[in-house]
Amino acid sequence: MGEQPIFSTRAHVFQIDPCTKKNWVPTSKHAVTVSYFYDNTRNVYRIISLDGSKAIINSTISPNMTFTKTSQKFGQWADSRANTVYGLGFSSESSLAKFAEKFAEFKEAARLAKEKSQEKMELSSSPSQESAPGDLLSPMTPESINGTDDERVPPATPQHAEPRAEPSHNALPFSHR
């Protein structure tokens, strides 16, 4: 089936100025169709908008994205993959509310899809994960006994901490909006 549109509305599309990160730059001269799409082969939700034949929004919704209503008719979200912030100006408060409601709905669906795919990954990679702690402990014991490779022990500890810190670090830019 591929990608299917599941909700569409019309809005003026903006992107944050990449230089100043403060000013909005219009990417459409007039209101354009902004649609949510679902790709059932990849199990992802995207926001797509075209101005003529040019894609002005192509944003895959991830669980850590947040759509923020910044005024009665304007809302925005940050897309770290596209390295930008998108803004939408709606003609009515109800259009903004409906778009925000759909964003929250599809964000939750994206979170569930990600959890489901991670469960599959964990099941397929659990034997290697079980051996990993043993592999990490056995090299550390001889190093700490003979003391010649003590410098290698501290880097192993941050490597363990990095993957845990990374998701919250990635989420920080979104919480500031």
Side-chain angles (χ1 to χ4, degrees):
M1 276 228 137
E3 261 184 331
Q4 299 294 317
I6 47 180
F7 175 79
S8 294
T9 188
R10 292 186 65 78
H12 290 269
V13 178
F14 300 85
Q15 279 187 324
I16 201 78
D17 183 327
C19 298
T20 65
K21 301 281 186 191
K22 292 180 182 177
N23 303 326
W24 288 107
V25 177
T27 57
S28 63
K29 290 185 171 95
H30 47 80
V32 294
T33 300
V34 179
S35 301
Y36 286 100
F37 279 80
Y38 175 66
D39 183 341
N40 61 0
T41 56
R42 293 180 21 227
N43 202 16
V44 295
Y45 293 84
R46 296 196 303 157
I47 301 170
I48 297 175
S49 182
L50 303 175
D51 192 5
S53 61
K54 181 186 173 203
I56 53 176
I57 299 176
N58 184 358
S59 180
T60 301
I61 300 173
S62 68
N64 60 343
M65 285 182 170
T66 302
F67 183 81
T68 306
K69 296 180 197 176
T70 55
S71 71
Q72 291 180 329
K73 298 179 185 178
F74 192 87
Q76 68 185 52
W77 76 97
D79 184 336
S80 61
R81 290 185 192 136
N83 196 27
T84 192
V85 179
Y86 292 104
L88 297 177
F90 294 90
S91 60
S92 68
E93 291 178 51
S94 61
S95 294
L96 170 58
K98 187 70 173 170
F99 187 89
E101 177 187 309
K102 291 294 183 184
F103 193 101
E105 180 184 327
F106 301 140
K107 173 184 162 176
E108 176 64 11
R111 184 187 68 77
L112 293 171
K114 185 177 180 181
E115 281 180 8
K116 202 172 189 178
S117 70
Q118 283 178 337
E119 285 173 15
K120 287 179 185 174
M121 295 276 284
E122 286 173 12
L123 289 174
S124 65
S125 65
S126 60
S128 63
Q129 287 177 341
E130 288 172 11
S131 64
D135 292 345
L136 289 175
L137 292 176
S138 56
M140 288 173 67
T141 309
E143 289 170 357
S144 59
I145 292 170
N146 65 20
T148 56
D149 294 320
D150 279 346
E151 293 175 5
R152 289 173 53 196
V153 175
T157 307
Q159 286 175 352
H160 245 307
E162 271 183 285
R164 290 185 203 126
E166 203 170 47
S168 63
H169 175 70
N170 288 344
L172 285 178
F174 301 111
S175 62
H176 292 293
R177 308 258 186 276

